[in-house]
């Protein structure tokens, strides 16, 4: 399970970094939820649209560490944008049946909204 969980998360980040939102959606469950500084989202379509908007300012994603425990993955990364210095970010995902079923993200969004 750990190998599959880590691969799903790696695919998620690779797709996001490549701005391949169809590939990103391919690892999201039909009932995926997102909770983070920007609010709450339900479903893969809303999630992919959100990530596409976020990617308009993203210049890089630098994954620093990934922790995998069973179906849970915590990815610590720096989110680089063209509107603020890199944002240290924690992304906690839960994987069920090879798909991400929920994501919880935390970072300080204040410099990005200035």
């Amino acid at each position: 399970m750990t190998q599959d969980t880590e691969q799903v998360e790696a695919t998620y980040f690779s797709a996001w970094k490549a701005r391949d939102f169809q590939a990103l959606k391919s690892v999201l469950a039909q009932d995926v939820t997102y909770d983070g500084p920007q609010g709450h989202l339900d479903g893969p379509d809303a999630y992919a649209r959100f990530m596409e908007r976020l990617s308009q300012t993203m210049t890089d994603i630098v994954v620093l560490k990934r922790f995998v425990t069973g179906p849970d993955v915590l990815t610590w990364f720096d989110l680089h944008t063209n509107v603020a210095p890199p944002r240290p970010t924690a992304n906690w995902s839960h994987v069920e049946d090879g798909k991400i079923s929920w994501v919880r993200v935390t970072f300080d969004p204040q410099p990005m909204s200035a």
Side-chain angles (χ1 to χ4, degrees):
M1 168 82 110
T2 300
Q3 177 83 5
D4 293 338
T5 300
E6 189 168 6
Q7 183 58 46
V8 168
E9 188 77 352
T11 300
Y12 169 92
F13 274 90
S14 294
W16 180 21
K17 190 171 182 171
R19 294 173 172 82
D20 183 347
F21 302 104
Q22 287 303 323
L24 188 136
K25 278 178 63 174
S26 77
V27 296
L28 300 177
Q30 286 302 306
D31 59 349
V32 66
T33 61
Y34 166 91
D35 286 290
Q38 303 90 340
H40 176 84
L41 297 167
D42 290 307
D45 292 331
Y47 197 118
R49 283 191 304 271
F50 164 72
M51 296 298 279
E52 192 168 357
R53 285 191 309 275
L54 180 60
S55 292
Q56 292 173 2
T57 60
M58 177 194 71
T59 58
D60 200 6
I61 301 165
V62 178
V63 174
L64 303 170
K65 185 69 177 171
R66 187 169 284 134
F67 304 91
V68 181
T69 304
D72 294 317
V73 184
L74 180 66
T75 304
W76 182 260
F77 65 99
D78 287 336
L79 175 61
H80 294 250
T81 70
N82 58 17
V83 296
R87 309 304 322 137
T89 306
N91 177 306
W92 178 16
S93 298
H94 183 79
V95 177
E96 294 178 13
D97 299 321
K99 303 280 185 176
I100 297 171
S101 60
W102 54 258
V103 178
R104 306 297 176 260
V105 174
T106 189
F107 67 91
D108 179 6
Q110 195 169 21
M112 294 174 69
S113 54

